[in-house]
Amino acid sequence: MTEMGNTTIYRVVIHKSASINNLPKLMKLNRVNSTELANKTGYTQSYISKLANQKTPLQFDSAQAFLKALPKQNQFMALQISNKLVGITTPVIDGDRIMKEPLAMAVKTMPELSQALEAIQNALDELTIPKEDLKLKDFDDPKELVYQSYDAVLYLMNLIAFISRGFDFSMQDMLIERHKLWSHEGITK
């Protein structure tokens, strides 16, 4: 964040590459070897092998080719690429202390949503104060709102990925459909 006069400029860093740790698993699920994946993506077998062994990062401009070439259960790869390249989306839940299945993720998501809703409620008074009248203590509840909202989004995005994988939905296609609806309703452009 940079202050320039009365304007605050926020920076979003977009990385040109990202390491992906689930490529071998996706290749197996999609029943392709590195040579076949190279043919489907237009990249060399050597590059595919280096990606699979995490010896080289996935380049931003090649991400779509890999998602298209590996359509089965690529939800977590899409999340991982989005998080690593742009850095404003949540990462993949892959810790050892988390059960990685739709029901467990749904059960874990509900309290996270409740905490986010409570944080919104707690921040309502600060959200109505004009910016020039805010005091240092007025930033605590909005900051907690952002943290709790990120926690909820982390679990929601991973829940969407787990459900999409379990029911063979395409996260990308479903998001496109929702975007069409949101655009039609004037929510997005």
Side-chain angles (χ1 to χ4, degrees), residues 29-95:
L29 286 168
N30 284 272
R31 297 184 177 162
V32 295
N33 61 34
S34 57
T35 303
E36 293 165 330
L37 186 56
N39 289 334
K40 287 183 174 192
T41 60
Y43 294 94
T44 66
Q45 190 276 332
S46 173
Y47 178 65
I48 304 295
S49 179
K50 288 176 183 175
L51 280 173
N53 293 306
Q54 297 185 36
K55 303 270 189 228
T56 192
L58 178 71
Q59 298 301 307
F60 178 78
D61 57 355
S62 62
Q64 188 63 36
F66 280 86
L67 290 169
K68 188 175 181 180
L70 300 166
K72 291 183 183 175
Q73 298 190 9
N74 68 5
Q75 299 87 357
F76 294 101
M77 181 180 184
L79 282 178
Q80 186 179 23
I81 290 169
S82 178
N83 173 259
K84 298 285 185 184
L85 293 178
V86 182
I88 59 171
T89 58
T90 58
V92 172
I93 290 179
D94 59 3

